[in-house]
């Protein structure tokens, strides 16, 4: 069975170069403009408190695709900062993270989620929030999560869920990867994780509505039971970031993908308005 998600949707920003450009702009207001509508403090804290298994301050934790450190701030409430590593491919996002007082002591570094610069059996916990949607090969990223964890280590991946409403599905497929819940579970299980669980999360004002999809809509966890790398065998990388690409094509994909992304900045506003005007107990 193929390790990649279906290649039929365009997913214009599900490429590392385009994602890098995208975040060079979005980093300006990521925590204060993007997150309040998509990934709230309450959602982050729920995932860190109840899903990620952060029960000791001595755990070694890696936050992969951690960007500005929004999720990392939630991690260091449970784990000593000196035991936490934040890794992301975007220097613009990491520059924001380095300015946060709460992250003093956290190791912050650039790196690729599909090729982590750590030996096998390094961390007790792996956390990744709002990153998988940009991975060209999500199965490879989940396999890397397995590799870098210690035995009995827990991986917690927080990401989007696929819309069912036709217009939302169109823009989702044009923008980036919106996996189905079953795809998440299959990626974890193929990588070798046991006790795989998926829990739904979302902004409170959505009232549980998921037909438009969610940029952050689920938290998936799994436990590593055997030492070393995953037994899963994969082919060449889906995307070689060192390979020359046509800069005009990269810019076109970035521009069109960003236009499609705008739809998902508007949906939370639409749902917030409906939550305010539709009485409690009635469907929105």
């Amino acid at each position: 069975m193929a390790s990649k998600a279906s290649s039929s949707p365009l997913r214009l920003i599900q490429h590392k170069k385009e994602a890098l450009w995208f975040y060079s702009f979005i980093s300006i207001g990521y925590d204060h403009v993007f997150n309040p509508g998509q990934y709230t403090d309450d959602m982050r804290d729920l995932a860190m408190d109840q899903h990620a298994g952060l029960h000791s301050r001595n755990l070694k934790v890696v936050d992969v695709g951690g960007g500005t450190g929004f999720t990392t701030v939630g991690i260091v409430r449970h784990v000593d900062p000196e035991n936490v590593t934040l890794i992301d491919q975007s220097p613009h996002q990491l520059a924001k993270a380095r300015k946060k007082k709460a992250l003093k002591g956290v190791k912050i570094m650039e790196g690729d989620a599909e090729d982590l610069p750590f030996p096998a059996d390094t961390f007790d916990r792996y956390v990744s929030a709002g990153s998988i949607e940009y991975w060209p090969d999500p199965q490879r990223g989940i396999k890397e999560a397995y590799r870098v964890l210690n035995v009995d280590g827990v991986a917690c991946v927080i990401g989007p869920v696929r819309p069912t409403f036709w217009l939302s599905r169109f823009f989702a497929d044009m923008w980036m990867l919106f996996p189905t819940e079953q795809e998440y579970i299959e990626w974890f299980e193929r990588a070798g994780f046991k006790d795989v669980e998926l829990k739904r999360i979302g902004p409170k004002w959505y009232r549980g509505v998921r037909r438009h999809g969610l940029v952050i809509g689920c938290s998936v966890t799994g436990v590593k039971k055997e030492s070393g790398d995953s037994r899963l065998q994969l082919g060449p990388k889906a995307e070689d970031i060192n390979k020359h690409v046509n800069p005009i094509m990269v810019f076109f994909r970035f521009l069109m993908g960003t236009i499609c992304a705008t739809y998902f900045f508007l949906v939370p506003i639409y749902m917030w308005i409906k939550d305010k005007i539709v009485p409690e107990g009635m469907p929105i």
Side-chain angles (χ1 to χ4, degrees):
M1 191 175 292
S3 66
K4 290 200 305 177
S6 171
S7 60
S8 54
L10 286 177
R11 294 173 183 160
L12 295 167
I13 306 293
Q14 194 194 352
H15 298 263
K16 291 171 185 174
K17 290 183 182 295
E18 288 85 345
L20 189 61
W21 282 23
F22 184 72
Y23 273 100
S24 69
F25 290 94
I26 200 175
S27 64
I28 297 169
Y30 186 82
D31 287 345
H32 305 294
V33 177
F34 176 82
N35 277 345
Q38 311 285 358
Y39 184 30
T40 65
D41 290 9
D42 289 344
M43 292 165 62
R44 175 198 62 196
D45 294 343
L46 173 67
M48 295 304 101
D49 294 350
Q50 300 183 23
H51 305 168
L54 305 177
H55 54 69
S56 169
R57 300 206 65 84
N58 296 320
L59 292 169
K60 290 186 66 177
V61 182
V62 62
D63 182 5
V64 175
T68 64
F70 179 78
T71 299
T72 325
V73 169
I75 293 172
V76 298
R77 292 176 180 170
H78 302 271
V79 178
D80 289 341
E82 293 75 15
N83 294 329
V84 178
T85 300
L86 188 167
I87 186 168
D88 195 278
Q89 73 152 353
S90 170
H92 303 92
Q93 294 280 79
L94 295 178
K96 297 288 185 181
R98 290 189 176 99
K99 294 178 181 179
K100 293 184 176 178
K101 293 181 180 179
L103 301 184
K104 183 179 180 181
V106 171
K107 183 178 182 180
I108 298 175
M109 58 189 293
E110 289 185 40
D112 183 352
E114 295 181 0
D115 189 14
L116 295 172
F118 312 112
D121 306 313
T122 297
F123 297 98
D124 302 306
R125 298 291 184 269
Y126 170 105
V127 175
S128 182
S131 180
I132 192 172
E133 55 266 34
Y134 303 107
W135 301 352
D137 188 348
Q139 181 67 83
R140 189 178 300 274
I142 299 299
K143 183 177 184 290
E144 275 291 271
Y146 185 96
R147 183 183 66 80
V148 301
L149 280 170
N150 291 319
V151 175
D152 293 327
V154 177
C156 178
V157 173
I158 301 164
V161 289
R162 186 166 173 76
T164 56
F165 180 62
W166 69 271
L167 185 61
S168 300
R169 190 169 62 246
F170 169 79
F171 281 108
D173 286 344
M174 290 289 286
W175 180 20
M176 61 182 185
L177 174 66
F178 280 73
T180 65
E181 293 181 352
Q182 186 59 35
E183 282 179 313
Y184 280 109
I185 293 169
E186 289 175 357
W187 290 329
F188 268 70
E189 290 180 342
R190 287 180 200 145
F193 284 105
K194 306 298 182 184
D195 303 328
V196 178
E197 292 186 73
L198 184 146
K199 297 176 182 176
R200 293 180 171 183
I201 58 177
K204 291 180 179 179
W205 62 89
Y206 274 60
R207 300 190 197 175
V209 170
R210 300 174 76 80
R211 64 180 176 273
H212 295 293
L214 289 159
V215 174
I216 297 292
C218 68
S219 170
V220 189
T221 57
V223 182
K224 178 177 177 177
K225 294 294 188 180
E226 297 181 8
S227 179
D229 199 353
S230 168
R231 298 179 183 180
L232 179 65
Q233 298 297 311
L234 299 176
K237 282 188 175 183
E239 178 182 359
D240 181 359
I241 60 174
N242 295 315
K243 183 179 179 180
H244 176 74
V245 293
N246 186 330
I248 296 175
M249 183 57 68
V250 172
F251 178 74
F252 173 77
R253 293 180 66 94
F254 160 75
L255 180 62
M256 295 305 297
T258 302
I259 291 171
C260 294
T262 304
Y263 176 85
F264 285 94
F265 283 85
L266 299 176
V267 167
I269 299 172
Y270 166 72
M271 295 301 295
W272 182 84
I273 293 172
K274 290 190 74 175
D275 177 59
K276 294 299 181 183
I277 63 177
V278 177
E280 285 288 339
M282 295 184 63
I284 61 171

